[in-house]
Amino acid sequence: MDQKFLDVMKHEGPVTIVTINANPASVVNTWMSYVTVDEKNKQLIIPAAGMHSIEDDFEMDNHVTITVGSKDVEGTVGPGAGFHIHGTGEFADSGAAFDAKKKQFPWLSRILIVTIDDIQQKI
C-alpha cells in the first residue's frame, strides 16, 4: 500500500463496493471513516449492517472492486486522488476484528473483510 492511498483513506468520503455477479452488478456504499486499513494483512475491515446483495454474490464469486477518493489529496494532475481496489471479500460475525468494529459501531451485524490483490491509482 503506497502512502498516497493511505493518505486518501484518512479523509472522509464515500466508499463504493461493487461485485459483478448480479445482473446488473451489485453496488453498496459506506464511508471511509468506517473502514479500517490493516496494512500488515493487506486487508480492509468494513462494518456491515446490510450489504446483502454483495453477500449473496459471494456464493458464486467473492471478487470485489472498491473505489475511494479524496479531493484533499494531490492526485496525478492536481487536487484529488482516487483509487480502485481489487480483492476478495468474506463476511464475519465473530473474531477479534469483528469485536473491535462492534465496539465502534454497535449497529453492525457482521464485518466485510476484503483481502487486497491490487490497488490502482486512477486520478
Side-chain angles (χ1 to χ4, degrees):
M1 290 182 209
D2 78 6
Q3 190 58 49
K4 180 117 6 204
F5 169 73
L6 296 172
D7 291 345
V8 164
M9 292 303 295
K10 292 176 186 171
H11 291 30
E12 185 60 280
V15 175
T16 303
I17 306 164
V18 181
T19 61
I20 59 169
N21 297 317
N23 190 8
S26 295
V27 180
V28 298
N29 292 325
T30 191
W31 297 104
M32 289 195 312
S33 60
Y34 291 2
V35 178
T36 299
V37 178
D38 179 345
E39 291 182 69
K40 179 183 173 191
N41 294 310
K42 295 184 181 180
Q43 293 179 326
L44 302 178
I45 311 298
I46 305 168
M51 298 190 186
H52 299 292
S53 60
I54 298 292
E55 190 170 26
D56 291 346
D57 286 351
F58 283 0
E59 292 177 19
M60 291 176 31
D61 183 351
N62 68 340
H63 287 86
V64 295
T65 297
I66 299 174
T67 65
V68 298
S70 173
K71 64 181 180 169
D72 296 322
V73 176
E74 190 73 15
T76 57
V77 293
F83 291 85
H84 288 183
I85 303 150
H86 302 98
T88 55
E90 64 178 302
F91 285 89
D93 59 7
S94 63
F98 174 81
D99 293 341
K101 276 295 181 197
K102 186 74 170 175
K103 285 181 186 175
Q104 284 183 288
F105 306 106
W107 46 261
L108 69 80
S109 59
R110 60 215 187 296
I111 56 172
L112 170 59
I113 303 168
V114 176
T115 301
I116 299 169
D117 293 330
D118 73 358
I119 301 172
Q120 301 170 346
Q121 184 171 358
K122 294 299 184 175
I123 58 173

PDB file of all heavy atoms in Angstrom, residues 50-78:
ATOM      1  N   GLY A  50     -26.189  -4.015   6.347  1.00  0.00           N
ATOM      2  CA  GLY A  50     -26.907  -4.506   5.181  1.00  0.00           C
ATOM      3  C   GLY A  50     -25.943  -5.293   4.308  1.00  0.00           C
ATOM      4  O   GLY A  50     -25.397  -6.305   4.721  1.00  0.00           O
ATOM      5  N   MET A  51     -25.709  -4.807   3.109  1.00  0.00           N
ATOM      6  CA  MET A  51     -24.790  -5.414   2.135  1.00  0.00           C
ATOM      7  C   MET A  51     -25.208  -6.822   1.734  1.00  0.00           C
ATOM      8  O   MET A  51     -24.374  -7.649   1.347  1.00  0.00           O
ATOM      9  CB  MET A  51     -23.340  -5.413   2.642  1.00  0.00           C
ATOM     10  CG  MET A  51     -22.760  -4.047   2.880  1.00  0.00           C
ATOM     11  SD  MET A  51     -20.988  -4.154   3.192  1.00  0.00           S
ATOM     12  CE  MET A  51     -20.624  -2.462   3.618  1.00  0.00           C
ATOM     13  N   HIS A  52     -26.500  -7.108   1.800  1.00  0.00           N
ATOM     14  CA  HIS A  52     -26.973  -8.461   1.481  1.00  0.00           C
ATOM     15  C   HIS A  52     -26.764  -8.834   0.022  1.00  0.00           C
ATOM     16  O   HIS A  52     -26.485 -10.004  -0.289  1.00  0.00           O
ATOM     17  CB  HIS A  52     -28.435  -8.610   1.896  1.00  0.00           C
ATOM     18  CG  HIS A  52     -28.634  -8.401   3.363  1.00  0.00           C
ATOM     19  ND1 HIS A  52     -28.149  -9.280   4.309  1.00  0.00           N
ATOM     20  CD2 HIS A  52     -29.218  -7.392   4.053  1.00  0.00           C
ATOM     21  CE1 HIS A  52     -28.438  -8.836   5.516  1.00  0.00           C
ATOM     22  NE2 HIS A  52     -29.088  -7.689   5.388  1.00  0.00           N
ATOM     23  N   SER A  53     -26.863  -7.853  -0.890  1.00  0.00           N
ATOM     24  CA  SER A  53     -26.653  -8.167  -2.306  1.00  0.00           C
ATOM     25  C   SER A  53     -25.213  -8.610  -2.550  1.00  0.00           C
ATOM     26  O   SER A  53     -24.972  -9.566  -3.294  1.00  0.00           O
ATOM     27  CB  SER A  53     -26.994  -6.962  -3.189  1.00  0.00           C
ATOM     28  OG  SER A  53     -26.174  -5.841  -2.871  1.00  0.00           O
ATOM     29  N   ILE A  54     -24.277  -7.943  -1.901  1.00  0.00           N
ATOM     30  CA  ILE A  54     -22.869  -8.325  -2.031  1.00  0.00           C
ATOM     31  C   ILE A  54     -22.649  -9.713  -1.434  1.00  0.00           C
ATOM     32  O   ILE A  54     -21.993 -10.571  -2.034  1.00  0.00           O
ATOM     33  CB  ILE A  54     -21.969  -7.294  -1.310  1.00  0.00           C
ATOM     34  CG1 ILE A  54     -22.106  -5.899  -1.927  1.00  0.00           C
ATOM     35  CG2 ILE A  54     -20.517  -7.744  -1.276  1.00  0.00           C
ATOM     36  CD1 ILE A  54     -21.571  -5.738  -3.308  1.00  0.00           C
ATOM     37  N   GLU A  55     -23.206  -9.926  -0.257  1.00  0.00           N
ATOM     38  CA  GLU A  55     -23.047 -11.219   0.413  1.00  0.00           C
ATOM     39  C   GLU A  55     -23.620 -12.350  -0.433  1.00  0.00           C
ATOM     40  O   GLU A  55     -23.009 -13.418  -0.562  1.00  0.00           O
ATOM     41  CB  GLU A  55     -23.720 -11.177   1.779  1.00  0.00           C
ATOM     42  CG  GLU A  55     -23.420 -12.372   2.647  1.00  0.00           C
ATOM     43  CD  GLU A  55     -23.894 -12.181   4.074  1.00  0.00           C
ATOM     44  OE1 GLU A  55     -24.840 -11.414   4.316  1.00  0.00           O
ATOM     45  OE2 GLU A  55     -23.302 -12.829   4.949  1.00  0.00           O
ATOM     46  N   ASP A  56     -24.776 -12.116  -1.048  1.00  0.00           N
ATOM     47  CA  ASP A  56     -25.374 -13.136  -1.925  1.00  0.00           C
ATOM     48  C   ASP A  56     -24.476 -13.432  -3.122  1.00  0.00           C
ATOM     49  O   ASP A  56     -24.346 -14.589  -3.531  1.00  0.00           O
ATOM     50  CB  ASP A  56     -26.754 -12.696  -2.399  1.00  0.00           C
ATOM     51  CG  ASP A  56     -27.800 -12.681  -1.299  1.00  0.00           C
ATOM     52  OD1 ASP A  56     -27.550 -13.267  -0.209  1.00  0.00           O
ATOM     53  OD2 ASP A  56     -28.857 -12.052  -1.507  1.00  0.00           O
ATOM     54  N   ASP A  57     -23.854 -12.401  -3.679  1.00  0.00           N
ATOM     55  CA  ASP A  57     -22.965 -12.596  -4.825  1.00  0.00           C
ATOM     56  C   ASP A  57     -21.753 -13.450  -4.475  1.00  0.00           C
ATOM     57  O   ASP A  57     -21.222 -14.165  -5.322  1.00  0.00           O
ATOM     58  CB  ASP A  57     -22.480 -11.257  -5.378  1.00  0.00           C
ATOM     59  CG  ASP A  57     -23.552 -10.516  -6.142  1.00  0.00           C
ATOM     60  OD1 ASP A  57     -24.624 -11.093  -6.390  1.00  0.00           O
ATOM     61  OD2 ASP A  57     -23.314  -9.340  -6.489  1.00  0.00           O
ATOM     62  N   PHE A  58     -21.298 -13.379  -3.219  1.00  0.00           N
ATOM     63  CA  PHE A  58     -20.111 -14.128  -2.806  1.00  0.00           C
ATOM     64  C   PHE A  58     -20.312 -15.633  -2.912  1.00  0.00           C
ATOM     65  O   PHE A  58     -19.336 -16.376  -2.969  1.00  0.00           O
ATOM     66  CB  PHE A  58     -19.713 -13.763  -1.381  1.00  0.00           C
ATOM     67  CG  PHE A  58     -19.002 -12.434  -1.253  1.00  0.00           C
ATOM     68  CD1 PHE A  58     -18.739 -11.639  -2.351  1.00  0.00           C
ATOM     69  CD2 PHE A  58     -18.602 -11.983  -0.010  1.00  0.00           C
ATOM     70  CE1 PHE A  58     -18.091 -10.416  -2.223  1.00  0.00           C
ATOM     71  CE2 PHE A  58     -17.954 -10.769   0.138  1.00  0.00           C
ATOM     72  CZ  PHE A  58     -17.691  -9.996  -0.968  1.00  0.00           C
ATOM     73  N   GLU A  59     -21.553 -16.087  -2.954  1.00  0.00           N
ATOM     74  CA  GLU A  59     -21.799 -17.525  -3.122  1.00  0.00           C
ATOM     75  C   GLU A  59     -21.243 -18.028  -4.450  1.00  0.00           C
ATOM     76  O   GLU A  59     -20.821 -19.175  -4.559  1.00  0.00           O
ATOM     77  CB  GLU A  59     -23.291 -17.825  -3.005  1.00  0.00           C
ATOM     78  CG  GLU A  59     -23.829 -17.604  -1.609  1.00  0.00           C
ATOM     79  CD  GLU A  59     -25.332 -17.830  -1.509  1.00  0.00           C
ATOM     80  OE1 GLU A  59     -25.905 -18.487  -2.406  1.00  0.00           O
ATOM     81  OE2 GLU A  59     -25.922 -17.355  -0.537  1.00  0.00           O
ATOM     82  N   MET A  60     -21.242 -17.155  -5.481  1.00  0.00           N
ATOM     83  CA  MET A  60     -20.722 -17.521  -6.805  1.00  0.00           C
ATOM     84  C   MET A  60     -19.276 -17.073  -7.010  1.00  0.00           C
ATOM     85  O   MET A  60     -18.484 -17.774  -7.628  1.00  0.00           O
ATOM     86  CB  MET A  60     -21.600 -16.920  -7.903  1.00  0.00           C
ATOM     87  CG  MET A  60     -22.968 -17.544  -7.983  1.00  0.00           C
ATOM     88  SD  MET A  60     -24.079 -16.772  -9.185  1.00  0.00           S
ATOM     89  CE  MET A  60     -23.033 -16.193 -10.461  1.00  0.00           C
ATOM     90  N   ASP A  61     -18.955 -15.881  -6.512  1.00  0.00           N
ATOM     91  CA  ASP A  61     -17.630 -15.297  -6.747  1.00  0.00           C
ATOM     92  C   ASP A  61     -17.444 -14.169  -5.745  1.00  0.00           C
ATOM     93  O   ASP A  61     -18.257 -13.246  -5.704  1.00  0.00           O
ATOM     94  CB  ASP A  61     -17.563 -14.764  -8.175  1.00  0.00           C
ATOM     95  CG  ASP A  61     -16.213 -14.188  -8.550  1.00  0.00           C
ATOM     96  OD1 ASP A  61     -15.333 -14.025  -7.675  1.00  0.00           O
ATOM     97  OD2 ASP A  61     -16.025 -13.867  -9.742  1.00  0.00           O
ATOM     98  N   ASN A  62     -16.389 -14.219  -4.954  1.00  0.00           N
ATOM     99  CA  ASN A  62     -16.210 -13.219  -3.908  1.00  0.00           C
ATOM    100  C   ASN A  62     -15.249 -12.087  -4.286  1.00  0.00           C
ATOM    101  O   ASN A  62     -14.733 -11.389  -3.419  1.00  0.00           O
ATOM    102  CB  ASN A  62     -15.762 -13.882  -2.599  1.00  0.00           C
ATOM    103  CG  ASN A  62     -14.366 -14.452  -2.675  1.00  0.00           C
ATOM    104  OD1 ASN A  62     -13.828 -14.712  -3.745  1.00  0.00           O
ATOM    105  ND2 ASN A  62     -13.771 -14.666  -1.514  1.00  0.00           N
ATOM    106  N   HIS A  63     -15.026 -11.893  -5.575  1.00  0.00           N
ATOM    107  CA  HIS A  63     -14.190 -10.779  -6.010  1.00  0.00           C
ATOM    108  C   HIS A  63     -14.966  -9.465  -5.927  1.00  0.00           C
ATOM    109  O   HIS A  63     -16.153  -9.423  -6.255  1.00  0.00           O
ATOM    110  CB  HIS A  63     -13.683 -11.002  -7.436  1.00  0.00           C
ATOM    111  CG  HIS A  63     -12.624 -12.046  -7.492  1.00  0.00           C
ATOM    112  ND1 HIS A  63     -12.915 -13.394  -7.607  1.00  0.00           N
ATOM    113  CD2 HIS A  63     -11.273 -11.947  -7.410  1.00  0.00           C
ATOM    114  CE1 HIS A  63     -11.792 -14.077  -7.610  1.00  0.00           C
ATOM    115  NE2 HIS A  63     -10.781 -13.233  -7.488  1.00  0.00           N
ATOM    116  N   VAL A  64     -14.277  -8.417  -5.470  1.00  0.00           N
ATOM    117  CA  VAL A  64     -14.883  -7.096  -5.359  1.00  0.00           C
ATOM    118  C   VAL A  64     -13.951  -6.052  -5.952  1.00  0.00           C
ATOM    119  O   VAL A  64     -12.731  -6.237  -6.001  1.00  0.00           O
ATOM    120  CB  VAL A  64     -15.199  -6.709  -3.891  1.00  0.00           C
ATOM    121  CG1 VAL A  64     -16.245  -7.623  -3.297  1.00  0.00           C
ATOM    122  CG2 VAL A  64     -13.964  -6.688  -3.025  1.00  0.00           C
ATOM    123  N   THR A  65     -14.568  -4.973  -6.408  1.00  0.00           N
ATOM    124  CA  THR A  65     -13.850  -3.759  -6.762  1.00  0.00           C
ATOM    125  C   THR A  65     -14.384  -2.666  -5.852  1.00  0.00           C
ATOM    126  O   THR A  65     -15.603  -2.537  -5.689  1.00  0.00           O
ATOM    127  CB  THR A  65     -14.065  -3.372  -8.239  1.00  0.00           C
ATOM    128  OG1 THR A  65     -13.536  -4.416  -9.065  1.00  0.00           O
ATOM    129  CG2 THR A  65     -13.372  -2.056  -8.574  1.00  0.00           C
ATOM    130  N   ILE A  66     -13.484  -1.907  -5.251  1.00  0.00           N
ATOM    131  CA  ILE A  66     -13.848  -0.832  -4.339  1.00  0.00           C
ATOM    132  C   ILE A  66     -13.244   0.456  -4.874  1.00  0.00           C
ATOM    133  O   ILE A  66     -12.092   0.459  -5.336  1.00  0.00           O
ATOM    134  CB  ILE A  66     -13.318  -1.123  -2.914  1.00  0.00           C
ATOM    135  CG1 ILE A  66     -13.933  -2.413  -2.380  1.00  0.00           C
ATOM    136  CG2 ILE A  66     -13.590   0.057  -1.980  1.00  0.00           C
ATOM    137  CD1 ILE A  66     -13.374  -2.877  -1.058  1.00  0.00           C
ATOM    138  N   THR A  67     -14.006   1.533  -4.812  1.00  0.00           N
ATOM    139  CA  THR A  67     -13.474   2.836  -5.206  1.00  0.00           C
ATOM    140  C   THR A  67     -13.466   3.772  -4.007  1.00  0.00           C
ATOM    141  O   THR A  67     -14.398   3.769  -3.198  1.00  0.00           O
ATOM    142  CB  THR A  67     -14.287   3.482  -6.344  1.00  0.00           C
ATOM    143  OG1 THR A  67     -15.601   3.778  -5.893  1.00  0.00           O
ATOM    144  CG2 THR A  67     -14.355   2.568  -7.558  1.00  0.00           C
ATOM    145  N   VAL A  68     -12.389   4.544  -3.895  1.00  0.00           N
ATOM    146  CA  VAL A  68     -12.255   5.579  -2.862  1.00  0.00           C
ATOM    147  C   VAL A  68     -11.552   6.772  -3.488  1.00  0.00           C
ATOM    148  O   VAL A  68     -10.842   6.633  -4.482  1.00  0.00           O
ATOM    149  CB  VAL A  68     -11.449   5.085  -1.636  1.00  0.00           C
ATOM    150  CG1 VAL A  68     -12.136   3.915  -0.951  1.00  0.00           C
ATOM    151  CG2 VAL A  68     -10.021   4.719  -1.997  1.00  0.00           C
ATOM    152  N   GLY A  69     -11.742   7.931  -2.885  1.00  0.00           N
ATOM    153  CA  GLY A  69     -11.051   9.113  -3.362  1.00  0.00           C
ATOM    154  C   GLY A  69     -11.216  10.270  -2.411  1.00  0.00           C
ATOM    155  O   GLY A  69     -12.102  10.267  -1.557  1.00  0.00           O
ATOM    156  N   SER A  70     -10.353  11.250  -2.577  1.00  0.00           N
ATOM    157  CA  SER A  70     -10.449  12.480  -1.798  1.00  0.00           C
ATOM    158  C   SER A  70      -9.933  13.639  -2.627  1.00  0.00           C
ATOM    159  O   SER A  70      -8.851  13.553  -3.216  1.00  0.00           O
ATOM    160  CB  SER A  70      -9.637  12.384  -0.511  1.00  0.00           C
ATOM    161  OG  SER A  70      -9.620  13.643   0.144  1.00  0.00           O
ATOM    162  N   LYS A  71     -10.688  14.715  -2.630  1.00  0.00           N
ATOM    163  CA  LYS A  71     -10.234  15.922  -3.331  1.00  0.00           C
ATOM    164  C   LYS A  71      -9.165  16.657  -2.533  1.00  0.00           C
ATOM    165  O   LYS A  71      -8.523  17.559  -3.044  1.00  0.00           O
ATOM    166  CB  LYS A  71     -11.415  16.853  -3.617  1.00  0.00           C
ATOM    167  CG  LYS A  71     -12.074  17.401  -2.382  1.00  0.00           C
ATOM    168  CD  LYS A  71     -13.233  18.292  -2.720  1.00  0.00           C
ATOM    169  CE  LYS A  71     -13.841  18.803  -1.408  1.00  0.00           C
ATOM    170  NZ  LYS A  71     -14.789  19.849  -1.631  1.00  0.00           N
ATOM    171  N   ASP A  72      -8.952  16.247  -1.276  1.00  0.00           N
ATOM    172  CA  ASP A  72      -7.986  16.908  -0.401  1.00  0.00           C
ATOM    173  C   ASP A  72      -6.572  16.345  -0.509  1.00  0.00           C
ATOM    174  O   ASP A  72      -5.664  16.819   0.164  1.00  0.00           O
ATOM    175  CB  ASP A  72      -8.462  16.809   1.060  1.00  0.00           C
ATOM    176  CG  ASP A  72      -9.767  17.540   1.287  1.00  0.00           C
ATOM    177  OD1 ASP A  72      -9.958  18.623   0.689  1.00  0.00           O
ATOM    178  OD2 ASP A  72     -10.607  17.021   2.038  1.00  0.00           O
ATOM    179  N   VAL A  73      -6.385  15.329  -1.349  1.00  0.00           N
ATOM    180  CA  VAL A  73      -5.061  14.730  -1.549  1.00  0.00           C
ATOM    181  C   VAL A  73      -4.661  14.966  -2.993  1.00  0.00           C
ATOM    182  O   VAL A  73      -5.460  14.776  -3.910  1.00  0.00           O
ATOM    183  CB  VAL A  73      -5.080  13.212  -1.227  1.00  0.00           C
ATOM    184  CG1 VAL A  73      -3.739  12.572  -1.534  1.00  0.00           C
ATOM    185  CG2 VAL A  73      -5.478  12.980   0.224  1.00  0.00           C
ATOM    186  N   GLU A  74      -3.430  15.407  -3.199  1.00  0.00           N
ATOM    187  CA  GLU A  74      -2.928  15.683  -4.542  1.00  0.00           C
ATOM    188  C   GLU A  74      -2.962  14.417  -5.385  1.00  0.00           C
ATOM    189  O   GLU A  74      -2.493  13.355  -4.959  1.00  0.00           O
ATOM    190  CB  GLU A  74      -1.496  16.209  -4.452  1.00  0.00           C
ATOM    191  CG  GLU A  74      -0.960  16.758  -5.742  1.00  0.00           C
ATOM    192  CD  GLU A  74      -1.553  18.106  -6.143  1.00  0.00           C
ATOM    193  OE1 GLU A  74      -2.181  18.786  -5.297  1.00  0.00           O
ATOM    194  OE2 GLU A  74      -1.391  18.482  -7.316  1.00  0.00           O
ATOM    195  N   GLY A  75      -3.548  14.524  -6.576  1.00  0.00           N
ATOM    196  CA  GLY A  75      -3.641  13.392  -7.480  1.00  0.00           C
ATOM    197  C   GLY A  75      -2.578  13.427  -8.558  1.00  0.00           C
ATOM    198  O   GLY A  75      -1.547  14.075  -8.409  1.00  0.00           O
ATOM    199  N   THR A  76      -2.851  12.783  -9.672  1.00  0.00           N
ATOM    200  CA  THR A  76      -1.868  12.677 -10.749  1.00  0.00           C
ATOM    201  C   THR A  76      -1.748  13.954 -11.570  1.00  0.00           C
ATOM    202  O   THR A  76      -0.721  14.187 -12.191  1.00  0.00           O
ATOM    203  CB  THR A  76      -2.226  11.514 -11.696  1.00  0.00           C
ATOM    204  OG1 THR A  76      -3.545  11.722 -12.203  1.00  0.00           O
ATOM    205  CG2 THR A  76      -2.157  10.179 -10.971  1.00  0.00           C
ATOM    206  N   VAL A  77      -2.813  14.771 -11.569  1.00  0.00           N
ATOM    207  CA  VAL A  77      -2.783  16.005 -12.366  1.00  0.00           C
ATOM    208  C   VAL A  77      -3.310  17.221 -11.597  1.00  0.00           C
ATOM    209  O   VAL A  77      -3.692  18.207 -12.200  1.00  0.00           O
ATOM    210  CB  VAL A  77      -3.584  15.841 -13.684  1.00  0.00           C
ATOM    211  CG1 VAL A  77      -2.918  14.844 -14.607  1.00  0.00           C
ATOM    212  CG2 VAL A  77      -5.014  15.443 -13.411  1.00  0.00           C
ATOM    213  N   GLY A  78      -3.321  17.151 -10.290  1.00  0.00           N
ATOM    214  CA  GLY A  78      -3.808  18.267  -9.490  1.00  0.00           C
ATOM    215  C   GLY A  78      -4.550  17.771  -8.272  1.00  0.00           C
ATOM    216  O   GLY A  78      -4.411  16.608  -7.869  1.00  0.00           O
TER     217      GLY A  78
END
